[in-house]
Amino acid sequence: MGAIEEVYADLDTDVSEEEFREAVEEKVEQMGGLADEETAAMLLAHELNEGEVDTVADIEPGMEEVKFLAKVVSIGELRTFERDGEDEDGRVANVEAADETGTVRLAFWDQQAESVVEGELEEGQVLRIAGRPKDGYNGLEVSVDKAEPDDDAEIDVELGDGSTVDALTMGQSDVNVRGIVLETDSIRTFDRDDGSEGKVSNLLLGDETGRVRVTMWDDRADRATELEPGTAVEVVDGYVREREGDLELHVGDHGAIDEIDETVEFTPEADAVGAVEMDEVVDLAGVVRSADPKRTFDRDDGSEGQVRNIRVQDDTGDIRVALWGEKADKEIAPGDEVFVADAEIQDGWQDDLEASAGWQSTVVVLDEDTGAGSAAPSPGGSGSGASGGSGGSSGSDAGLGAFTGDGDGADSGTSGDGGSEGAASAGGGADGGAAAAAAEEVEFTGTVVQTGDPVILDDGQETMQVDTDAALTLGQEVTVRGAMADDRLDADDVF
């Protein structure tokens, strides 16, 4: 085997050996004898391999050009736009493609775009693609210079429907999933490269196997304002993409979100409160033990923000949850069952861990928004329900089945690990339940987390409802002493 054949054998290219040999000869001639055939072959091999990436996940927006393999997942419609200074309109068609590591949007332009929508590409085809990557509004996008089918290549990405949330896999198209709307977001607009305005919105969909964020584009984005939490729906002809490590279900012009008249259950799979760690992003489910009033504050940029703290308990412990922005306006009261998705664990009050629910989080009041435990039809004429879920990463049962939901909201010594020690200190000498029954004097020291009637104190392990006329402020640390009655401490002394 000669030098040219040896170099060519190591190449992964769609250039034929004959074309490669001709290019080597031209290279030798161009260099005027400064390079022999082997050197010229190696230079050409480097040029052919430049930009070659192993997987979609290896593509970065800063690269000048990339070459890769991907399977066609879905094909969009042809769109036209006006080009500055030109009489002829431009044309573009977007194609979703994927491999085992991720998804990427391919932009085909002008004549290529027409060929795409006229049927030269089919879903499920594997393409060998060369193009220029950039960071588009919806993530990674590659402007295609060349795309050719590769019938011999195989990519393990499944197409077809995923009938449940947990059956969704990256790269699927034509997906039909039934679920219950847990929460909707507002519609956002953005400017496309072609000068047109796009619309996008999100909702959170849940079923008995899990939950998934649904992203709706353009005309479908209006569904976020038309659907109420608790409505049972079917997502028709969606496609699955990956965003920041999580799967999302997208709905474009070919898809739909239709209301259905049937019962759909949502079972939250939550992390155990007692097992959460600093800087984790977790899902929590439990009963609200206490709920503070909403507070407003001024940001550095002069705008006004708002936050509200609630304390959520499961059978492994309890944790303070900070609700930021619009989430602070949610009607949440002690005794409500809630599901908090994508909350970040941070340092809280007195070095205690707390969960922060910001713009990327979802907060669902299960007994209201999903009709949990009710067989009555939900909004839109569809039934809904929720049953107890299994525990999170610790393996213990942290689902809603562990709670009675009796509405107490400030459980004194009746909860699991977080409240088993009772409300008594050195002055009381008995647990909260016994003190209440015997009307014995109890002393409790904690931080004011709710003012009004009742005042609620929190010592980091449990909360105490207190009846008092004393003027107290949020964050103030006080000690109260008095008799227990109906799970409340009737304070004779506050100091």
Side-chain angles (χ1 to χ4, degrees):
M1 181 182 293
I4 295 177
E5 288 83 357
E6 289 181 359
V7 174
Y8 182 81
D10 293 332
L11 282 176
D12 182 13
T13 178
D14 53 359
V15 175
S16 69
E17 184 175 347
E18 182 179 354
E19 291 173 323
F20 183 73
R21 177 177 290 279
E22 291 175 356
V24 169
E25 293 173 356
E26 290 178 7
K27 193 77 168 177
V28 170
E29 185 177 347
Q30 288 172 4
M31 298 186 71
L34 296 176
D36 57 16
E37 288 187 343
E38 182 178 6
T39 302
M42 293 177 67
L43 289 172
L44 283 172
H46 176 73
E47 293 175 7
L48 288 171
N49 286 329
E50 187 175 7
E52 192 87 29
V53 294
D54 293 328
T55 66
V56 167
D58 296 324
I59 303 173
E60 297 180 1
M63 296 177 172
E64 291 186 5
E65 185 185 45
V66 290
K67 302 170 185 175
F68 60 99
L69 288 171
K71 179 181 286 188
V72 176
V73 173
S74 65
I75 301 172
E77 296 179 351
L78 182 70
R79 301 202 313 270
T80 60
F81 59 93
E82 295 181 0
R83 283 198 172 100
D84 294 337
E86 296 186 20
D87 295 332
E88 185 179 357
D89 287 343
R91 291 144 293 168
V92 63
N94 290 323
V95 172
E96 298 294 330
D99 67 6
E100 296 87 350
T101 69
T103 60
V104 61
R105 172 170 289 189
L106 308 178
F108 290 82
W109 303 92
D110 299 326
Q111 186 59 48
Q112 282 186 323
E114 290 187 354
S115 298
V116 165
V117 298
E118 287 173 359
E120 290 195 13
L121 285 189
E122 297 180 358
E123 293 180 2
Q125 272 186 319
V126 175
L127 301 181
R128 188 172 293 275
I129 302 155
R132 291 159 284 121
K134 68 174 184 177
D135 192 5
Y137 179 83
N138 302 306
L140 182 64
E141 181 177 299
V142 172
S143 183
V144 176
D145 295 324
K146 184 179 180 181
E148 295 182 349
D150 190 330
D151 297 332
D152 297 326
E154 294 185 3
I155 292 180
D156 187 17
V157 171
E158 295 182 6
L159 306 182
D161 65 56
S163 56
T164 59
V165 168
D166 70 345
L168 297 176
T169 59
M170 193 281 302
Q172 282 183 306
S173 63
D174 300 326
V175 174
N176 298 335
V177 176
R178 297 186 176 192
I180 187 168
V181 176
L182 301 176
E183 187 179 60
T184 61
D185 292 339
S186 58
I187 298 174
R188 305 181 301 279
T189 60
F190 61 94
D191 294 326
R192 292 192 173 92
D193 292 340
D194 61 10
S196 63
E197 183 179 76
K199 294 192 298 184
V200 63
S201 64
N202 297 99
L203 63 82
L204 193 69
L205 186 76
D207 67 6
E208 66 276 8
T209 69
R211 49 96 180 175
V212 65
R213 186 169 300 278
V214 180
T215 300
M216 300 161 287
W217 298 98
D218 297 324
D219 291 342
R220 301 297 177 265
D222 294 333
R223 294 298 277 158
T225 63
E226 299 165 354
L227 296 170
E228 295 290 335
T231 306
V233 298
E234 181 176 23
V235 176
V236 180
D237 289 340
Y239 55 96
V240 182
R241 294 187 65 190
E242 185 179 34
R243 183 176 176 85
E244 298 180 355
D246 293 324
L247 296 182
E248 290 185 348
L249 185 56
H250 287 237
V251 181
D253 293 337
H254 295 293
I257 301 181
D258 299 328
E259 297 182 33
I260 56 176
D261 187 12
E262 62 181 71
T263 298
V264 178
E265 292 186 351
F266 168 60
T267 305
E269 291 190 4
D271 298 287
V273 168
V276 301
E277 297 181 0
M278 185 70 179
D279 295 329
E280 284 186 331
V281 176
V282 299
D283 294 347
L284 304 173
V287 172
V288 177
R289 285 179 52 181
S290 63
D292 296 351
K294 180 175 66 178
R295 304 194 305 275
T296 59
F297 57 91
D298 294 326
R299 297 189 179 95
D300 293 339
D301 61 4
S303 62
E304 186 178 77
Q306 61 182 25
V307 64
R308 185 187 186 201
N309 292 328
I310 62 174
R311 183 166 287 274
V312 176
Q313 174 185 313
D314 67 8
D315 64 339
T316 70
D318 60 84
I319 189 170
R320 191 190 315 276
V321 180
L323 310 178
W324 299 92
E326 294 180 357
K327 293 176 176 57
D329 293 323
K330 283 187 170 289
E331 296 184 3
I332 298 177
D336 286 343
E337 294 180 351
V338 296
F339 175 60
V340 182
D342 297 323
E344 183 177 359
I345 302 301
Q346 301 175 343
D347 268 331
W349 181 263
Q350 295 181 335
D351 295 327
D352 196 11
L353 293 180
E354 77 171 26
S356 178
W359 65 269
Q360 80 283 6
S361 307
T362 300
V363 180
V364 180
V365 182
L366 293 173
D367 53 355
E368 293 179 2
D369 292 342
T370 68
S374 171
S378 63
S382 56
S384 62
S387 60
S390 60
S393 58
S394 70
S396 63
D397 183 3
L400 296 180
F403 305 103
T404 60
D406 59 8
D408 187 14
D411 197 1
S412 297
T414 61
S415 65
D417 297 342
S420 60
E421 294 180 358
S425 64
D431 69 11
E440 295 178 359
E441 187 174 74
V442 170
E443 184 175 286
F444 186 89
T445 300
T447 301
V448 178
V449 295
Q450 177 174 304
T451 58
D453 183 18
V455 171
I456 296 182
L457 303 183
D458 189 319
D459 69 354
Q461 290 186 323
E462 63 176 327
T463 58
M464 175 67 71
Q465 298 187 60
V466 181
D467 289 325
T468 179
D469 294 330
L472 301 176
T473 59
L474 289 173
Q476 183 179 0
E477 184 171 346
V478 298
T479 297
V480 293
R481 184 186 297 127
M484 294 294 297
D486 297 327
D487 291 331
R488 289 191 184 189
L489 190 154
D490 188 3
D492 297 321
D493 300 303
V494 178
F495 53 92

